[in-house]
Amino acid sequence: MAASLSRYLVEQQRAKGNIPPELRLLLEVVARACKSISHAVNKGALGGVLGSAHSENVQGEVQKKLDIIANEVLIEANEWGGHLAAMASEEMDSIYVVPNRYPQGEYLLLFDPLDGSSNIDVNVSIGTIFSVLKKPEGNLAVCEADFLQKGQAQVAAGYCVYGPQTTLVLTVGDGVAMFTLDREQGSFVLTQEHVQIPADTQEFAVNMSNMRHWDAPVTRYIDECLAGQTGPRGKDFNMRWVGSMVADVHRILTRGGVFMYPWDKREPDKPGKLRLLYEANPMSWLVEQAGGAATNGQQRILDIQPQQLHQRVSVFLGSKNEVERVSAFHN
Ligand code: P6P
């Protein structure tokens, strides 16, 4: 009998002592919230949840109805449990402090409630990305600065991909485990653990339409891949770009590959498109825990000291040897 998420977390705590009860509660509550989001996503047009909400988020992006629904599900699921001090979301300008009517806990939860939302209306995989930090010591009131911790400080990170299967992928610092939602039981069942990304790959993921805007190292790396068998790589490459980071990262965790969303000169002041705290950091930790690598071209993403809650970052992640190659071109 494959283990449920709860059993996995209990046995992980028994073996490694890295999932205290409050963190186990947090992860079980997040998993339950992802089940609710999966249910809403799967209803699609039947649930009247497709299309635009006719509002904008802090990023200036038009919000989809499901973006807002997913955000509310995560807030409502987590605010009463006593395990969190505050939450931060791509869909909210500032942090959400747990209301006074509930006790505050020692954890901070950050999330992109529904990443890849441009794919919602065209029925392509999307997902929820989450990251867990500890609130800094001291009895000062929780504030935004408490969230500005390097990615290496995470105590848990994961995502839930809403695709042909709904799969929860999680690390607490002892490798990566995957849980597939059994809809009949309504529970996440352990379907893979000790996930490993092959160090080499023949598959890259980048939005090629931005090619003319890239910096030289990125153009050089992709040109070499496109040169194939007779070029400097001596092998042909395939390309995949879902336009949903969760789907692309899940493929890479499953069969290898390299994912890039580099800086480009369309908006030179923006270091990249993806957000550091609740997209790049959780995904980078998962990838590293699975034997891969993740940099911004110059340095390890998990070493970057955040300055703002919603700051963006350039991302190269996946098969270790490929990330090291494209990063070396930058230095
Ligand atoms: P583009 C989705 O909006 C997202 O933030 C990531 O999930 C995805 O990898 C990227 O943007 C897609 O960006 O420019 O190709 O549409």
Side-chain angles (χ1 to χ4, degrees), residues 115-116 207 241 243-245 259 261 273-275 279:
D115 181 72
N207 183 333
W241 185 251
S244 188
M245 186 184 196
F259 171 99
Y261 211 112
K273 173 178 185 184
L274 302 175
R275 289 83 175 179
E279 289 177 336

Side-chain angles (χ1 to χ4, degrees), residues 287-309:
V287 163
E288 285 197 3
Q289 283 289 310
T295 76
N296 66 353
Q298 270 77 25
Q299 69 180 110
R300 186 172 171 252
I301 283 178
L302 297 183
D303 289 338
I304 297 174
Q305 173 54 53
Q307 304 301 329
Q308 284 117 14
L309 194 62

Side-chain angles (χ1 to χ4, degrees), residues 4-287:
S4 67
L5 174 66
S6 295
R7 178 171 172 182
Y8 173 85
L9 296 174
V10 165
E11 291 180 345
Q12 185 70 27
Q13 167 63 6
R14 194 173 295 152
K16 307 281 178 157
N18 56 357
I19 310 186
E22 291 288 273
L23 181 57
R24 176 155 62 83
L25 172 64
L26 195 173
L27 294 172
E28 288 173 338
V29 167
V30 168
R32 207 169 301 128
C34 289
K35 244 191 304 186
S36 305
I37 294 168
S38 173
H39 183 71
V41 163
N42 289 169
K43 269 197 171 160
L46 301 176
V49 294
L50 297 185
S52 167
H54 305 300
S55 55
E56 278 195 357
N57 64 15
V58 63
Q59 332 287 345
E61 292 167 341
V62 173
Q63 291 174 305
K64 302 281 189 180
K65 288 177 192 160
L66 272 170
D67 283 326
I68 294 173
I69 291 167
N71 193 62
E72 285 166 0
V73 166
L74 281 159
I75 298 282
E76 287 160 18
N78 280 286
E79 63 178 348
W80 49 267
H83 50 280
L84 282 182
M87 296 178 242
S89 165
E90 179 188 275
E91 301 303 331
M92 299 188 296
D93 296 13
S94 50
I95 64 169
Y96 179 89
V97 177
V98 168
N100 291 334
R101 62 183 180 280
Y102 302 124
Q104 282 195 8
E106 60 178 324
Y107 293 105
L108 304 175
L109 177 65
L110 303 90
F111 47 83
D112 179 357
L114 206 54
D115 181 72
S117 41
S118 60
N119 282 323
I120 294 173
D121 298 347
V122 294
N123 199 13
V124 170
S125 299
I126 48 185
T128 298
I129 309 172
F130 62 91
S131 171
V132 183
L133 295 168
K134 289 199 75 172
K135 177 177 170 292
E137 296 300 319
N139 54 8
L140 293 175
V142 65
C143 66
E144 190 164 301
D146 293 337
F147 285 78
L148 304 183
Q149 300 178 42
K150 292 181 181 179
Q152 65 196 14
Q154 293 173 99
V155 293
Y159 61 81
C160 191
V161 53
Y162 311 115
Q165 303 97 44
T166 287
T167 303
L168 182 75
V169 179
L170 176 69
T171 185
V172 290
D174 182 37
V176 175
M178 296 186 172
F179 303 83
T180 303
L181 180 61
D182 172 350
R183 293 189 188 284
E184 286 145 68
Q185 304 276 350
S187 62
F188 282 102
V189 176
L190 180 68
T191 43
Q192 193 173 349
E193 52 184 329
H194 313 308
V195 172
Q196 282 301 308
I197 300 176
D200 292 304
T201 182
Q202 289 181 243
E203 195 161 69
F204 65 85
V206 69
N207 183 333
M208 289 294 287
S209 70
N210 300 326
M211 191 162 199
R212 65 188 181 284
H213 306 303
W214 294 339
D215 214 356
V218 181
T219 309
R220 175 182 173 190
Y221 175 81
I222 294 294
D223 280 345
E224 286 190 353
C225 292
L226 296 176
Q229 186 84 36
T230 56
R233 302 305 308 273
K235 57 186 182 178
D236 293 337
F237 278 75
N238 187 39
M239 193 201 97
R240 284 284 183 275
W241 185 251
V242 182
S244 188
M245 186 184 196
V246 173
D248 283 314
V249 169
H250 191 73
R251 185 189 59 255
I252 288 168
L253 283 171
T254 305
R255 71 182 192 213
V258 58
F259 171 99
M260 292 173 271
Y261 211 112
W263 169 93
D264 70 50
K265 51 178 179 284
R266 287 177 293 173
E267 294 182 78
D269 297 340
K270 264 169 60 175
K273 173 178 185 184
L274 302 175
R275 289 83 175 179
L276 175 61
L277 285 177
Y278 42 79
E279 289 177 336
N281 274 344
M283 291 309 205
S284 297
W285 197 29
L286 284 164
V287 163

